[in-house]
Amino acid sequence: MSAVRLTMTKVLLLNATYEPLSFVSLRRAIVLLLKDKAEVVEALERQLRASTREMPYPLVIRLITYVPVPRRVNIPVTRKTLFARDNHECQYCGTSRSKLTLDHVVPRSRGGKTEWTNVVAACESCNRKKADKLTPEAKMTLRRPPFRPTYVTVVLLGQAQGNEAWARYLPV
Ligand SMILES: [Zn+2]
């Protein structure tokens, strides 16, 4: 737990099934705990005072009652969501994490659309090398086929970097 930054004020909220739902503010987490709507799953060793109670400083909390959630959320393709899906790595060379661009696997000039199954994160140099060619024509290979991400992949993983306690409850 030593890696936890003290400025961190968000808490991972799990459903009753331990499925990750969202990040909530520390304040919201405390309200849920005080109303007995949630329980602490992971906490820091230090305590905090809330109302008249002392409680562990929560990192992960779990709802007592299951909340149904819609299975499919349509996440728009943006540079931010795309780079999060691709773990901020170029999907061709796999190494460059800087100067990422949005690359159309089937180029737009060949009718390729801006949709999840046709876009990948690519570094500037790979994007330039690929240009208006199809992947085999450019003699390049994708590390994995592009896919439509889930809410957890894009929204939660993007926010959870650098915290082991949260990462345990999120799919890799
Ligand atoms: Zn690259």
Side-chain angles (χ1 to χ4, degrees), residues 89-96 100 121-127 140:
E89 287 168 357
C90 171
Q91 292 301 295
Y92 295 105
C93 66
T95 50
S96 180
L100 287 176
C123 70
E124 274 184 347
S125 96
C126 286
N127 200 333
M140 295 165 83

Side-chain angles (χ1 to χ4, degrees), residues 5 24 32 37 61 66 86 96 113 117 126 131 136 153 165:
R5 288 186 300 275
V24 295
L32 289 169
K37 293 198 167 162
I61 63 171
Y66 177 76
D86 290 347
S96 180
K113 296 200 172 77
T117 50
C126 286
T153 319

